[in-house]
Structures are given as C-alpha cells and as structure tokens.
Amino acid sequence: MTTDGLTLAVSGLTLGLTRDRRARPLVEDLSFGVARGEMLAFVGESGSGKSLTAAAIFGLLPAGVQRIAGSIRVNGSELTTLSERRLRAWRGRDMGLIFQNPLTALSPSVGVQAQIAETYRVHKGGTRDAARARARALLAEVGLKALATGGDSYPHQLSGGMRQRVMIALAAACDPALIVADEPTTALDVLIQAQILDLLARLQRERGLAVVFITHDLRLAARYADRILVLYAGRAVEEGDAAQFFTAPRHPYSRALRDAIPTIPATGGRLTEIPGQPPEPRALPAGCRFAPRCPNVGDDCRRTEPAMTFDGTRFACLHPCAKMS
Amino acid sequence: MTDDTTRAQPTMHPGGLFQRRRRWPATFGRVRADMGGGMLFLALVLFSWIGPLLYPHDPLAIHTHHILAAPRSRFPLGTDALGRNVLARLMRGGQATLAISLWASAIGLLAGLLYGMTAGLGPGWLDRALMRLLDTLLAIPSLVLMIFFASIVPLNETSLALLLGLVAWPGIARLTRNEALAARERDYVRAARQFGAGRLYIARVHILRAMLPLVIVNATFLMADMILGLSGLSFLGLGIQPPHASWGGLLNSGAGLAVIGSWWLIAFPGLAIFLAILAMNMLGQGLLARLEGELRE
Amino acid sequence: MREDVVSSGLRVEGLSVEYAAKRGLGRTRGDTHKALADVGFILPTGQTLGVVGESGSGKTTLGHAVLRMTPVSRGRILWDGVDLATLSDRDLRPYRRQMQLVFQDPYEAMNPRMSIGRIIAEPLLLAYGLDRHARREQALRLLKQVGLDESLLGRRPRALSGGQRQRVTLARALATAPRLLVLDEPTSGLDVSLQARVLNLLRDLQTDKGLSYLFISHDLAAVAYIAQRLLVLFQGRVMEQGPTDALLRHPAHPYTAALLAAQPSAVPGRAPKDPAPAMNPVADPVPGACVYYQWCGKALPRCRMEAPDLTSLGADHLVACHYPGHETTSIH
C-alpha cells in the first residue's frame, strides 16, 4: 500500500498494556489508509480495539496502554515522534475527534459559540470577533441556525442530537484534514442518527474530509462509508469496498456480523448468532483468533494466524466464504 | 475534558476512554492517608486510656510546692496554677474529649440516618415538611444553639454528647435523604418494588448498604467536627466542668497564664486537639479516596 | 367493544398519563403535560406488540403505566378482564408477579453490590419468601433458561459483559413466572451479534412459555423481527397501529415512513437521496393541530385546523392522519 496522497496512513500499529508485558497486544499490526474525501468505517464488537485505535491516532491512549510499534502519518507527517505539546497543536487543527457522548467533551460552563470560537482562536489566531463570526457560521453550517444567532447556549440546554451537531462543528472548526467519529450516534434515536450521519457525510463530500467512522453497526457502515475495515480482537480481519463488502463478505466473521442483523421486513427465519464470546486479550487462542467461534474452522486455523491476502477484498482467513453468497 | 479535581462528594462518572484519569493525592510517601490517620488516632486513644496505667498520677492531686512548674523530669509536661500534673490531666482529658466526641458522632449519625431515610423514602409531603424543618434548624448558627442549650441543662458527659449530637445530625440527614431520593429512581430499586419490596426492605438492602462507605467517610469528618466543637464549648467554659479535665478546658484555663510564660499549659492540649482532628481528617480523606477509586473502577 | 373476544391477555383503552407541568420556579396550576394521550391496544396472549417511537414519544411511560409503575390519569388496563388501573396497591400485588419489566440498561437495573445469584433470587425472596436453599436452586434453573453458566452466580454485575447482563435481568424477570414481559429497549445497548442472541432467546422463551411481550424500541428492524403488531407513538399519541408486515411494507402515516427511511437498511448505498426530516424539539405544539403537523413534510392546511382521529384503513390497520400515504414506500 502506498502512503502517498493519503490523509491518514497507519501502518503496523500495535498497542499493548504498559504493565503486563506478557499479555498479547490489544491491537496488533494494524495498517490502513484514508484518502481525502473518503470515509472509512471501522466495524467491530466492543473490545475489538476500534476505539483504542482512534485514541492512538490522537495520542490520547488511556493510562496503562501504550503504542508498542507502528507509524501514524497525517498528511505525510509522522505523529508518533511528536512531543505532547506539538501533538496538541495537531489535534483540533488538523484532525477533529467526535465522541460518542458529547457531554463529556463539551465544557458545561461555557457557551457553545464561545467554545467553538476559542478552539478556532487557539489554533488559528485572529481576533475574538472573527473567531465568534466563524463559530456562528459553523453552527449554521451544521444545521443549528437557532444557535448561530443571538445569545450563546450551554450544552445542557441542547438535545442529544443538537449536542452532537455542536461536536461536529467543533471538530470541523479549524478545517481539519481528518475527522474521527467514535460511535457518534450510539446514544441517539434513528431519525437523529440519520441526520447526524447525513451531516457528517455532507461535510466529508463538500470539504473533502477524510473520515474514520467507528461503529458496531455494519448497516450504518455500509450506508455511509466508502470502505469498511472489520476488526476482531485487535486485528483487522477484512477490508474492502463498502458495497461489495456487504453483498459478499469473505471473512466468516464479517459474514456473521452481517447475518446477525434483522432485516425489514423480517424474513421469518432465525437470526444468525455468533457462538461464544470474543477472547480476552490475556487469553487469545493460538492461530486464528476467530477460530473458536468460526463455522468454517479447520485444523490449520488453530495452528497458524492467517495473514492478509487480497482477493476482491483484503481478508485474513484460511477458509474464506465463497465470493458471492 | 471534565474537571473533577474539585469534586468533594464521590459520585459515579462514566470512565470513557478519552477521559483523563486523575489520582487522588491519597498517599504521603508510602503511607496511605487513611492508614496514617487511623494509626494516629489509635495512638491518641492509647495515650488517653492506657497512658494512665503506665503513668499512674492523679490528675486532681494538688502539689502546692510545684505551682506552674515548667516541664522537667518529675512533671514531664509541667503543672498548672494549682500545681496539678498536666500530663495526667491531658490523659484524663483525652478520655473525656474522645469519648464524648465519639458518642456525639454516633448520636448524630443515627439521628441523621433515621431522619434522612424517613424524608427520602416517605411520601412527598413528609419529605417537604422534614426538609423545611431542617432548613429552619440550619438557619440558626450551631454555636448559638449549643450555647443556648448548654446554659439551660446541667453539663455532664451525657448531656454534652447529646448537645453535640443535636448539631451534628442535619448534615448526615440531608446526605441520607438525597441518597435515598436518588436510589428511589434507580432501576434496580424500581425492579425490587415491582417484585413487591416494601420501603423497609429497600432502605435496608438497597440504600443503607450502598451508603455505608459514604456514611463511614462522613462519620470520620463528623468526629473531627465534634472534637473541635467540644473543645470550642469547653474553651468557652461550657464543657466539662472543673476540676475535671478536657482538652478544651485545659486550653481555657491555661490561656491567660500562657501569656506570662507558662507555654506548656496551652501547647500540649492544643497539640492534642490538633493531632486528633488531623487524624480524623486524614482517615476521612484516605477512605474517600479509596471509595472514589472503587467507584471509578 | 365486546370484551369476551379478548378476555385473556392485555387490553388497554384510552390510557392517559399526565404530569403537572413545571414552568420556571413556580408551578402553573392546572397546566398539564400529556405524556400519553388516549392510547389503546390489544395484546393477545403469546403475542408481541412492538411499540415504536423516539425518546420523548412516551413509549417508556406506556410500559411503566401498563405495569402501574407510574400513575395513570385516565383509561383502563384490562388484564384478563380485570381493570388494573383501578386496583389498590394491595390488590395489585398478585398481578404484579404476572407482569414484569426488563429495563433498557441492564447494568442500571442491578444493584452493583449484589452477586448475580442474589440479584436473580431477589424476586423469589420478595414474592414467595423462599429459603436460601430453594432460592439458589431456582436461580440456577433461571440462569440455565437464559443460556448462562452457573459459574456466574457469585460474580458482580460489573464482571459481566453487556449481553450477559441483559440475560441476567431477563432471568430475574422470569423468576415470578410472569405471563407478560414489558421489554424496554432490551437490545439497544448491545453489539449486533449479542443483539441477535437476545432476540433469538426472547423468541424461544415466548414459544416455550406462551409469554406476551410489549416490546419497546426505536429500532424498527429489531421490532420487525419479534413483533406481530406495531404501535407507532409520537408525543404520547398513537400515530399508526397495525400488523407489522403491512405497516412496514405500506406505512400510512408520514411519521412511520420517516422512521423507516431513517432506518439503516441492509442495502448498501451512499448517503440517502431523501435526507431525514429535520426535527425541531424547541417548537411549541400548535393547539388544535395534528401533533405531527410541524414536522410533517406533507402537511396541508387541514392538518393545522384539526387533529386527525385514529381511523381504520381496514384489516386491523389504524392511522391518525388526514392524508394517509398511498404510495407504497416499500424498502426494496
């Protein structure tokens, strides 16, 4: 994979526990890239390492977790060697982060216009008035015209959907090249969810943003993203074009994720369950990590950990599903 | 980023991945605050109760030839204006001070829990009435309240414990009531009600147990308040009556003489009060930090 | 209405829940907020009614009101012909066992200080006063029923995964051998693979025990999988009601159609052509108008003048709209 022209290029990213050196990594040898104007969806269950990866990109790993290996480049610049101080300048200016719960990310005691204006001024300078005007324009752009005029509003006065729009305005305030949205709509109703993701997709198109969209819902990934990357227990198991991916996933885990989703109208059949649970990072099985839960498992799966191969999509499986299912 | 350093009460907050973890300053070197505070308090208890066994001197005995003697070998902490042994008085005074404070805390705690639980679990009108009453009581400065009652009842150990307990319970009552109100809205309490649980069952199983750590923490802080309150009363002459000793009483009688050079009359009782309050606060802070850690997990 | 037709099961008529509205510091006397207005439905034994709506639509209030966990202002809750809405707390007690609630957030629904064994055994103690030994035996049986291992008995809720927690609360709800479960968004906090497992389990339990479900959700796909009939709520009012299949294939109410359009479909495609309608939560309702008037993309002058009644579209399909949609907005 060539990293030229990619907004975000991650290669060989490995994250592990700081204390417990014998434990296997939480995220292992993860490589992916996102181009300008492209949306890549990270799909996986809780604990698959998708949020950790986002945290690593921003240098915001939780205490006890560290980057063991790998490079993270944004617009060609290596971030992993930057000091905390230089990285802070990058965050917010060149890359924006959208959290699952905007209330933890927004300051409760500062108005939303002021928060956006402050973020803009910290990174881009300029006068207070210019920053405030910019904040109002951004609020209008994310569909909050009522908040863009007149007095300022505080986060607690807003509904969940409005807060998430403010989050998007904040993330996009300094014209970043990259936005990472970590389960941005999990707490929202379907209508609001659709609006928020429509908005994100619109910004991505209009501004040529590179977007990493983290979700556990394959349907959302298929509807909004250009490409999908499926993570399982800290490893990428499949990556490919969103449309193709949904019709013919090759990795048994991707297919199981797809088949676990009920359809409208219901088909009448039973939903496919994935037996067992994802492995704990301390107790990863030998060979393929999905082997204990896999319907296609063979003896070789328990011995060797499959490498990424390319056949229509990139996938890591010794016994992949048929090309068209 | 949320700022939780100013948080005084332990509250649950979701530990999101991006939330920065902060550690409560709960250790001094290698010694945990609660351990240090506990040991210090134990030392004071041993001093007051075991001390007189190892140093058997009568705190009331008057040595007419040794009035206002400075600390030296016969009287390690000197003597007072009547020639009484300060060390012996400090030990006996410790017994009175600590015992009364402990009883007062216990009374305040029990009354507060009962009152708060009644308000929090009872019907809305009762809650409003009880809280209105509480606000009224809190509007009167506690020192004024204590001085008023101290002037109309005979002062002995029992009445002092009751008197201090009287000003101690409102804080605990409010805390309990708020916790109970919050607990009522918790889904697991709703579930228990749906299964047919009564108010008493919910108070016992779902609220008291959950509150226990918080109550213990508050009890230690309350104990510190009681020691200070009792000492204050005694300093005003409304505590243990002479010739019996209490730390605050020793301070009171020594205050005038310390100015003319008898520093030992106030230095040692003052130190004792300071150490006792420090011990309780360290214990409370340490336990609070432990509780915070547990909740955060 | 003929009551003998559905004497077994749940039948709700004209159910309203109103709260005194709080305005600023003072309270305006007589001002009420209608959390539910005139809701009615029939839930025959062994069937599932899906209640669909967004937050604030009153769907959770409906679930709580049916269980008498929230005060009912008007209406009847007929359970096997007995009106639960008029019973005193004491008279209600035997019925409480027959109807249980499964909460949206299983973690919130369990006392974090109790072991799983005690949590499951709590209703056995409260409802039957069983001794310790019998409680343990029953708890084990219940755990097995929801496909969990007995090794979980001694654990605390926080040591469990989300899917395990939801199954524990399900096991607890089953402890009193209820006949009706009110399921409040039981799968919304779960990963898709776990959601599939819980949905399958719910189906199996229904088949085994003849349970009735009031399944509350904003996820139409989950509801479509489990419910025979749907009830669409908006601001406490029924917008549309009918057999799941008919309602999802040919939604008559514009709100139902909007919910369907916003539903992430299993069909891949870039950003949808029809953006979801904008919801404006700050708008005050227009008195006398259709409650959906301000949000509706197809509103006509009549919708502002007069609120539509629930009218029959035939075949058990009711809709509260002056101009029920005729175009077949099938998802395919």
Side-chain angles (χ1 to χ4, degrees):
Chain A
M1 181 169 53
T2 147
T3 59
D4 295 337
L6 286 179
T7 303
L8 172 68
V10 172
S11 71
L13 184 68
T14 301
L15 307 172
L17 293 171
T18 316
R19 286 265 176 91
D20 196 348
R21 297 203 169 273
R22 271 189 297 175
R24 304 269 295 275
L26 301 170
V27 170
E28 194 170 354
D29 197 19
L30 183 63
S31 302
F32 61 91
V34 192
R36 203 179 123 77
E38 187 186 41
M39 188 186 289
L40 171 71
F42 267 28
V43 179
E45 292 169 272
S46 358
S48 59
K50 51 195 201 302
S51 287
L52 271 184
T53 306
I57 295 171
F58 284 78
L60 292 171
L61 283 172
V65 180
Q66 65 173 11
R67 190 182 56 87
I68 293 167
S71 111
I72 300 165
R73 299 170 84 87
V74 171
N75 276 340
S77 304
E78 180 64 47
L79 297 190
T80 53
T81 52
L82 291 184
S83 66
E84 169 63 22
R85 199 173 165 171
R86 301 270 311 276
L87 194 60
R88 210 177 299 146
W90 274 81
R91 293 201 285 261
R93 189 187 63 203
D94 300 279
M95 43 201 211
L97 180 57
I98 298 167
F99 299 83
Q100 177 177 342
N101 182 0
L103 268 190
T104 61
L106 295 171
S107 168
S109 50
V110 182
V112 296
Q113 282 181 19
Q115 283 188 53
I116 298 170
E118 179 64 17
T119 306
Y120 184 74
R121 238 164 68 82
V122 164
H123 291 293
K124 298 266 179 170
T127 65
R128 273 172 207 284
D129 286 347
R132 187 55 80 112
R134 168 87 184 153
R136 291 191 167 149
L138 275 161
L139 284 171
E141 191 179 349
V142 296
L144 296 172
K145 291 196 181 64
L147 300 189
T149 51
D152 214 344
S153 315
Y154 293 92
H156 71 264
Q157 297 172 313
L158 309 178
S159 69
M162 292 166 91
R163 283 181 201 137
Q164 204 54 286
R165 283 173 191 265
V166 170
M167 251 338 278
I168 292 175
L170 198 62
C174 304
D175 272 321
L178 169 73
I179 281 188
V180 175
D182 186 4
E183 303 257 8
T185 59
T186 305
L188 301 174
D189 283 325
V190 272
L191 276 175
I192 313 292
Q193 167 171 282
Q195 289 167 21
I196 295 293
L197 294 177
D198 286 353
L199 169 66
L200 198 63
R202 199 189 84 213
L203 286 178
Q204 172 218 341
R205 276 195 315 271
E206 289 175 2
R207 295 182 166 207
L209 284 169
V211 177
V212 175
F213 170 39
I214 296 174
T215 178
H216 66 264
D217 194 334
L218 203 54
R219 291 172 298 182
L220 289 177
R223 179 159 171 177
Y224 290 97
D226 302 285
R227 280 186 303 125
I228 292 177
L229 182 118
V230 176
L231 278 173
Y232 183 76
R235 274 187 90 95
V237 295
E238 186 163 7
E239 185 192 353
D241 178 73
Q244 188 188 356
F245 193 99
F246 213 86
T247 44
R250 303 299 307 278
H251 198 285
Y253 178 64
S254 316
R255 196 166 71 169
L257 274 186
R258 185 194 66 176
D259 294 343
I261 302 169
T263 55
I264 301 177
T267 53
R270 262 177 96 80
L271 295 173
T272 311
E273 294 176 28
I274 310 178
Q277 285 186 55
E280 298 279 324
R282 278 165 209 281
L284 289 179
C288 175
R289 293 170 192 206
F290 189 57
R293 307 172 73 187
C294 184
N296 293 5
V297 65
D299 283 343
D300 43 351
C301 299
R302 303 189 202 278
R303 289 192 301 270
T304 37
E305 185 143 25
M308 273 283 184
T309 48
F310 184 83
D311 181 15
T313 66
R314 286 170 70 222
F315 57 86
C317 182
L318 298 173
H319 304 282
C321 306
K323 260 190 176 172
M324 285 307 281
S325 59
Chain B
M1 236 8 94
T2 55
D3 186 347
D4 52 18
T5 48
T6 53
R7 205 185 291 274
Q9 296 266 314
T11 40
M12 283 281 226
H13 41 91
L17 191 53
F18 294 100
Q19 234 153 13
R20 198 173 292 161
R21 307 262 153 115
R22 262 183 243 266
R23 193 168 288 185
W24 200 276
T27 51
F28 299 101
R30 282 210 198 139
V31 185
R32 287 197 60 107
D34 44 4
M35 291 292 283
M39 262 140 70
L40 187 53
F41 185 68
L42 190 69
L44 288 168
V45 167
L46 290 177
F47 170 79
S48 304
W49 272 274
I50 308 297
L53 304 178
L54 304 175
Y55 184 76
H57 287 259
D58 186 355
L60 300 179
I62 294 171
H63 307 272
T64 43
H65 299 293
H66 301 276
I67 284 172
L68 288 179
R72 66 175 71 88
S73 60
R74 180 155 176 217
F75 300 108
L77 301 184
T79 61
D80 66 6
L82 297 173
R84 290 177 296 198
N85 187 334
V86 171
L87 179 57
R89 289 183 70 72
L90 204 60
M91 288 171 171
R92 190 54 59 84
Q95 289 180 16
T97 305
L98 295 178
I100 293 173
S101 306
L102 211 59
W103 277 112
S105 304
I107 291 166
L109 208 58
L110 209 65
L113 279 173
L114 267 174
Y115 194 93
M117 209 60 97
T118 312
L121 289 181
W125 60 266
L126 186 63
D127 178 40
R128 280 191 292 277
L130 289 177
M131 284 301 112
R132 191 65 54 87
L133 183 66
L134 192 70
D135 289 337
T136 316
L137 277 175
L138 283 175
I140 309 168
S142 55
L143 194 61
V144 174
L145 205 66
M146 282 197 292
I147 290 173
F148 172 70
F149 281 108
S151 62
I152 57 170
V153 295
L155 292 173
N156 52 42
E157 302 203 350
T158 316
S159 69
L160 275 171
L162 281 169
L163 204 58
L164 284 162
L166 179 75
V167 298
W169 65 270
I172 299 282
R174 189 169 292 249
L175 180 80
T176 311
R177 179 254 183 185
N178 289 347
E179 285 290 312
L181 275 188
R184 261 165 79 141
E185 297 305 312
R186 292 218 176 94
D187 281 349
Y188 59 80
V189 173
R190 284 169 191 247
R193 279 223 204 115
Q194 185 66 14
F195 299 129
R199 290 181 208 274
L200 268 177
Y201 174 88
I202 285 167
R204 187 165 50 84
V205 174
H206 288 299
I207 301 177
L208 267 184
R209 204 162 304 173
M211 276 189 66
L212 206 59
L214 206 55
V215 165
I216 291 169
V217 166
N218 276 278
T220 56
F221 289 133
L222 191 62
M223 177 78 187
D225 283 353
M226 292 298 100
I227 294 168
L228 197 63
L230 179 63
S231 303
L233 270 187
S234 307
F235 188 75
L236 295 173
L238 296 169
I240 297 290
Q241 294 303 301
H244 299 288
S246 71
W247 289 345
L250 290 179
L251 265 188
N252 176 31
S253 58
L257 296 162
V259 190
I260 56 166
S262 306
W263 55 270
W264 57 92
L265 290 183
I266 60 163
F268 298 113
L271 185 68
I273 294 171
F274 167 73
L275 287 179
I277 292 171
L278 179 70
M280 292 329 285
N281 276 316
M282 278 171 71
L283 187 61
Q285 281 292 349
L287 290 175
L288 190 61
R290 242 173 236 248
L291 185 60
E292 274 268 307
E294 205 170 278
L295 288 179
R296 194 167 287 191
E297 202 174 284
Chain C
M1 289 253 188
R2 297 156 298 166
E3 286 190 15
D4 51 291
V5 176
V6 187
S7 58
S8 97
L10 179 68
R11 176 194 193 98
V12 168
E13 291 170 4
L15 187 67
S16 298
V17 173
E18 292 169 5
Y19 300 112
K22 280 183 189 172
R23 276 177 195 268
L25 290 171
R27 206 178 288 174
T28 319
R29 209 169 278 273
D31 229 10
T32 55
H33 166 71
K34 289 190 172 71
L36 278 183
D38 203 18
V39 174
F41 60 83
I42 294 171
L43 173 54
T45 299
Q47 292 218 12
T48 301
L49 174 73
V51 179
V52 181
E54 296 172 277
S55 3
S57 64
K59 58 190 197 298
T60 297
T61 308
L62 176 60
H64 287 189
V66 165
L67 299 176
R68 284 275 312 267
M69 290 171 79
T70 202
V72 171
S73 309
R74 271 187 306 282
R76 305 212 288 166
I77 304 164
L78 295 165
W79 175 245
D80 291 352
V82 179
D83 186 2
L84 301 183
T86 57
L87 292 185
S88 69
D89 273 352
R90 181 184 299 268
D91 293 338
L92 198 61
R93 221 165 237 204
Y95 294 100
R96 282 210 194 274
R97 290 179 201 167
Q98 301 178 18
M99 329 169 92
Q100 288 300 340
L101 177 68
V102 175
F103 291 87
Q104 175 173 3
D105 182 348
Y107 190 64
E108 285 288 310
M110 297 189 272
N111 190 333
R113 279 159 233 277
M114 285 188 176
S115 67
I116 299 304
R118 272 196 73 192
I119 288 167
I120 297 180
E122 188 175 33
L124 299 168
L125 173 71
L126 287 168
Y128 305 118
L130 292 185
D131 64 46
R132 180 182 286 265
H133 184 72
R135 288 207 304 268
R136 195 190 144 79
E137 217 162 74
Q138 289 293 313
L140 271 175
R141 183 183 60 84
L142 290 162
L143 262 189
K144 259 193 212 113
Q145 243 173 36
V146 296
L148 289 176
D149 194 73
E150 67 175 289
S151 65
L152 295 185
L153 273 184
R155 301 230 196 126
R156 308 273 144 175
R158 72 161 167 242
L160 268 56
S161 71
Q164 287 174 327
R165 283 176 196 158
Q166 194 54 287
R167 279 184 282 170
V168 168
T169 57
L170 200 55
R172 178 179 63 177
L174 293 172
T176 57
R179 291 167 46 213
L180 170 74
L181 286 187
V182 174
L183 301 147
D184 188 3
E185 305 251 14
T187 58
S188 69
L190 302 177
D191 280 336
V192 275
S193 60
L194 295 171
Q195 174 181 318
R197 210 181 292 178
V198 171
L199 287 175
N200 282 340
L201 173 66
L202 285 173
R203 256 198 181 183
D204 295 345
L205 286 170
Q206 183 163 49
T207 319
D208 283 0
K209 298 173 181 291
L211 293 170
S212 309
Y213 292 153
L214 194 66
F215 189 96
I216 298 165
S217 182
H218 69 260
D219 182 0
L220 274 176
V223 173
Y225 180 70
I226 200 147
Q228 287 86 24
R229 294 179 54 80
L230 284 189
L231 182 84
V232 180
L233 278 182
F234 182 79
Q235 297 205 342
R237 285 152 181 92
V238 177
M239 296 290 105
E240 189 168 1
Q241 187 180 164
T244 305
D245 214 45
L247 202 131
L248 292 181
R249 279 182 199 279
H250 312 290
H253 199 284
Y255 180 60
T256 316
L259 281 177
L260 256 178
Q263 191 68 32
S265 67
V267 183
R270 220 57 58 66
K273 299 128 241 154
D274 239 355
M279 285 290 218
N280 193 354
V282 288
D284 280 323
V286 178
C290 168
V291 285
Y292 191 59
Y293 166 72
Q294 283 149 301
W295 289 271
C296 188
K298 300 175 185 167
L300 292 169
R302 186 181 168 202
C303 305
R304 194 195 165 90
M305 315 296 288
E306 139 188 34
D309 290 325
L310 262 184
T311 48
S312 174
L313 285 181
D316 220 9
H317 192 159
L318 298 169
V319 66
C321 182
H322 293 307
Y323 309 101
H326 301 296
E327 81 265 56
T328 46
T329 15
S330 160
I331 205 132
H332 296 294

